[in-house]
Amino acid sequence: MRDASPAKTYALHIGVIALLFALNFVLPDYHQGLFARIMTLAVFAMGYNLLFGYVGLLSLGHAMFFSAGLYGAGLTVYHLGWGVPEAFVAGVACGALLALVIGLLALRTSGVAFMIVTMMFAQVFYLLILYFAAWTGGDQGLVIQQASRVIAIGGASFDLTNATVRYMSALALFSIILLVTLAVVRSRFGRVLVAIRENEERTKMLGYDTVANKLAAVVASGAICAASGAAYALLFGYVGSGFASVQYSILPLLWVLLGGAATTLGPLIGTLFMYYVTDITSGFTSAYLLIVGVALILLVLFFPKGILGSIRERWLGWLP
Amino acid sequence: MMPLLTTKGLSRHFGGLRAVDGVDFALMPGEIRAIIGPNGAGKTTFVSLLSGRIRPSSGMVVFDGSDITAMPAYKRVRLGVAYTFQITSVFANLTAFDNVALPVQRTLTDGRTNGQVRSGVMAALERTGLADRAGALAGQLSYGHQRLLEVAMGLALKPRLLILDEPTQGLADSEIDNFIMLVREIARDATVLLIEHNMPVVMQLADRITVFNSGKILAEGTPGEIRANAEVQDAYLGATHG
Ligand SMILES: Nc1ncnc2c1ncn2[C@@H]1O[C@H](COP(=O)(O)OP(=O)(O)O)[C@@H](O)[C@H]1O
Ligand SMILES: [Mg+2]
């Protein structure tokens, strides 16, 4: 039963956040930077997981929501000189709006058709970025200067290019989205989403407008992925069309599959795992992608439900 | 008294097959109505048209005085038309608790009930004798328990009309006795429309019986009248008569 162990569940999530906080003070510089990046991208994975893991909708176009946030924040800073908070909000709003439009269109389909339709829309989005190169910087992208990446609150100012400020900002976003995800999946809405994944027809016959619920999930997922993109632009200072390419639609799927679909902490674990396997193997061989591939295949063979999904199945049934 | 539900010329064709063929039907509030008929008579198709799970080819459905022919299924559920499936379709990977929580939270959201999800769920599980299985995955319950869980989900929707499609199929005799008591209890605050093959169950429960054959209503009446009807004997009960 989902309410069997709320105390344990909250303790675990708060514990993970506390651990990440502590790591800031012990990690060497290089790993501190890598962790900031991983936490930011884990938000992307969490947004993807909400739709793929909980609702069972497999999108191959989520790069467009990440990029909507990336460009929504990046371009308003670069061209309009907006401050960091306004630009972040602009990025999230762009992602949510795009998700609303894409959801209205793509939810007319399901299954393989949904995968193809989302992929096509993402491709259109990618090509639009290249087409409007005068504003977007095309495939070169844009670099956002350090001066634009400072948050002034009252008298204090926070420079997002500072390693610790950057780490803590990434952690703050990660923590908020983790707790929001946890609250959503434990809510009535979350229960309906899982029911839709399990049997949509049956869910309708219990009085649920399944299309409206799926649309809400697409918008929430798009907004979270856009928050990740917006944070990425502001924290790492680079906005580029590569983030809108199909590779960035596949990556969140891999992270989520690895970590465990429909688990709240799986996206973090999957992102972390993939980054470190790539990082370690690329250190001693140029054929590192081969090794990453083999590692992925082994994992899928032995942990078909992902790392955390398998742990939940075998040992910790109470994990959300 | 005004009928709770009526149909006029209700039809559904599958290609050339007239699964339901121009049915005029009326159901009074508070009654327990049984639908019987041979396999393929169109019983499941007929009740699916009532619940909105499938669309009619022609004809109309009126519930509580309003035309609901074009209304999507989920809105009919909110009006109080609940449907339990002939083929057990509980959410196998969710617990019994979560299966029932879905209809309970629906009625809470609609403002048709109030209170906590948990207490609503436990009440429905207790009525069907499943309270001690609340934490079990629905897919791991025995078949009989899954049928009961299906009924619990229907109950939790607080229906004004509960449609049960062969609910006793696969139940043990002891479970059937409990089931009969359960339906009598449900009928105290809801109208029940029951498709049923088990004649003793039909004879004990039904106020009236409607007999379907080849998509049409062959006969309708009290259990006594239906038992005495020669045409029904021929078409369905298969008994010879003099
Ligand atoms: N979705 C469908 N497509 C085609 N034929 C169908 C479909 N559903 C039911 N039928 C046909 O309609 C007739 C009535 O079926 P059904 O309503 O299930 O009968 P009953 O429940 O009385 O056994 C049968 O001949 C069946 O094969
Ligand atoms: Mg049938």
Side-chain angles (χ1 to χ4, degrees), chain A residues 49-129:
Chain A
N49 186 36
L50 183 63
L51 197 63
F52 169 66
Y54 291 96
V55 195
L57 283 171
L58 200 162
S59 148
L60 287 180
H62 261 51
M64 70 181 139
F65 302 130
F66 182 83
S67 319
L70 189 82
Y71 281 94
L75 297 186
T76 48
V77 169
Y78 192 89
H79 292 296
L80 306 177
W82 286 19
V84 168
E86 301 91 313
F88 180 78
V89 171
V92 176
C94 286
L97 196 66
L98 180 67
L100 179 66
V101 174
I102 300 294
L104 282 170
L105 296 170
L107 286 175
R108 295 160 173 272
T109 66
S110 60
V112 175
F114 184 80
M115 291 158 58
I116 293 172
V117 168
T118 46
M119 191 157 97
M120 298 308 273
F121 278 121
Q123 196 61 20
V124 170
F125 194 81
Y126 175 62
L127 293 173
L128 284 174
I129 289 170

Side-chain angles (χ1 to χ4, degrees), chain A:
Chain A
M1 215 183 313
R2 74 174 53 215
D3 283 333
S5 34
K8 250 197 286 190
T9 300
Y10 287 114
L12 174 71
H13 289 75
I14 301 294
V16 168
I17 291 168
L19 179 68
L20 288 168
F21 180 80
L23 279 176
N24 173 65
F25 305 100
V26 294
L27 286 176
D29 290 353
Y30 172 74
H31 292 279
Q32 187 193 23
L34 198 53
F35 258 74
R37 206 173 287 258
I38 288 169
M39 287 188 290
T40 307
L41 290 174
V43 171
F44 185 15
M46 286 192 279
Y48 189 83
N49 186 36
L50 183 63
L51 197 63
F52 169 66
Y54 291 96
V55 195
L57 283 171
L58 200 162
S59 148
L60 287 180
H62 261 51
M64 70 181 139
F65 302 130
F66 182 83
S67 319
L70 189 82
Y71 281 94
L75 297 186
T76 48
V77 169
Y78 192 89
H79 292 296
L80 306 177
W82 286 19
V84 168
E86 301 91 313
F88 180 78
V89 171
V92 176
C94 286
L97 196 66
L98 180 67
L100 179 66
V101 174
I102 300 294
L104 282 170
L105 296 170
L107 286 175
R108 295 160 173 272
T109 66
S110 60
V112 175
F114 184 80
M115 291 158 58
I116 293 172
V117 168
T118 46
M119 191 157 97
M120 298 308 273
F121 278 121
Q123 196 61 20
V124 170
F125 194 81
Y126 175 62
L127 293 173
L128 284 174
I129 289 170
L130 294 182
Y131 183 79
F132 290 104
W135 290 289
T136 63
D139 53 4
Q140 301 287 303
L142 302 170
V143 172
I144 298 167
Q145 298 304 323
Q146 177 176 2
S148 312
R149 291 158 57 202
V150 177
I151 312 176
I153 302 172
S157 76
F158 299 92
D159 180 356
L160 295 181
T161 59
N162 170 287
T164 295
V165 173
R166 178 156 70 187
Y167 187 98
M168 288 302 169
S169 306
L171 174 61
L173 177 67
F174 170 83
S175 307
I176 290 168
I177 299 299
L178 178 67
L179 296 177
V180 165
T181 314
L182 180 63
V184 166
V185 304
R186 291 173 58 83
S187 71
R188 294 181 184 182
F189 175 53
R191 189 182 269 134
V192 176
L193 296 185
V194 170
I196 291 173
R197 178 189 74 200
E198 294 293 317
N199 187 342
E200 185 168 352
E201 277 309 303
R202 188 71 183 97
T203 310
K204 278 186 199 161
M205 296 311 295
L206 292 174
Y208 290 97
D209 182 350
T210 56
V211 177
N213 277 282
K214 286 194 289 187
L215 184 61
V218 170
V219 172
S221 171
I224 292 173
C225 294
S228 168
Y232 199 94
L234 298 165
L235 294 178
F236 301 100
Y238 174 70
V239 166
S241 63
F243 292 110
S245 69
V246 70
Q247 188 193 346
Y248 273 82
S249 288
I250 305 286
L251 276 173
L253 173 62
L254 284 181
W255 294 330
V256 168
L257 280 176
L258 270 181
T263 63
T264 47
L265 289 164
L268 171 68
I269 293 176
T271 313
L272 189 69
F273 185 87
M274 193 98 146
Y275 254 80
Y276 269 91
V277 169
T278 310
D279 193 64
I280 293 165
T281 51
S282 62
F284 61 84
T285 164
S286 58
Y288 67 94
L289 278 178
L290 182 71
I291 298 185
V292 171
V294 170
L296 284 179
I297 290 169
L298 288 178
L299 253 160
V300 171
L301 282 179
F302 292 103
F303 295 93
K305 301 211 160 160
I307 297 167
L308 212 60
S310 301
I311 289 175
R312 169 164 70 185
E313 191 173 63
R314 287 172 210 185
W315 300 293
L316 303 176
W318 54 271
L319 280 179

Side-chain angles (χ1 to χ4, degrees), chain B residues 44 86 165-166:
Chain B
T44 295
Q86 173 169 9
D165 196 348
E166 302 199 16

Side-chain angles (χ1 to χ4, degrees), chain A residues 188 191 198 202 207-208, chain B residues 74 78 93 98 102 105 150:
Chain A
R188 294 181 184 182
R191 189 182 269 134
E198 294 293 317
R202 188 71 183 97
Y208 290 97
Chain B
Y74 73 85
R78 294 179 192 179
N93 295 324
D98 278 337
L102 285 158
Q105 70 188 35
E150 188 95 47

Side-chain angles (χ1 to χ4, degrees), chain B residues 22-178:
Chain B
V23 171
D24 296 323
F25 176 85
L27 193 61
M28 286 304 181
E31 74 171 307
I32 301 181
R33 174 74 64 93
I35 296 181
I36 64 172
N39 267 325
K43 304 181 299 295
T44 295
T45 307
F46 177 67
V47 296
S48 298
L49 294 170
L50 304 184
S51 71
R53 206 164 67 91
I54 59 176
R55 309 259 115 193
S57 309
S58 60
M60 86 188 224
V61 182
V62 176
F63 181 75
D64 198 20
S66 45
D67 183 350
I68 59 165
T69 315
M71 186 183 276
Y74 73 85
K75 286 193 183 158
R76 299 187 196 198
V77 176
R78 294 179 192 179
L79 279 186
V81 182
Y83 174 78
T84 74
F85 286 69
Q86 173 169 9
I87 298 159
T88 302
S89 58
V90 296
F91 298 97
N93 295 324
L94 304 188
T95 60
F97 183 95
D98 278 337
N99 270 272
V100 181
L102 285 158
V104 167
Q105 70 188 35
R106 179 74 253 158
T107 60
L108 290 171
T109 306
D110 295 345
R112 293 195 288 129
T113 53
N114 43 47
Q116 298 286 315
V117 173
R118 168 164 299 273
S119 55
V121 172
M122 292 319 289
L125 287 175
E126 263 151 33
R127 269 179 94 177
T128 46
L130 292 172
D132 57 332
R133 308 307 312 276
L137 289 183
Q140 288 171 3
L141 297 175
S142 71
Y143 183 76
H145 281 170
Q146 290 188 24
R147 293 300 295 165
L148 287 173
L149 182 59
E150 188 95 47
V151 175
M153 291 162 76
L155 262 182
L157 282 172
K158 297 282 181 246
R160 297 172 63 199
L161 169 61
L162 179 60
I163 302 171
L164 301 163
D165 196 348
E166 302 199 16
T168 66
Q169 201 182 45
L171 290 192
D173 287 349
S174 59
E175 291 171 323
I176 287 182
D177 291 340
N178 285 333

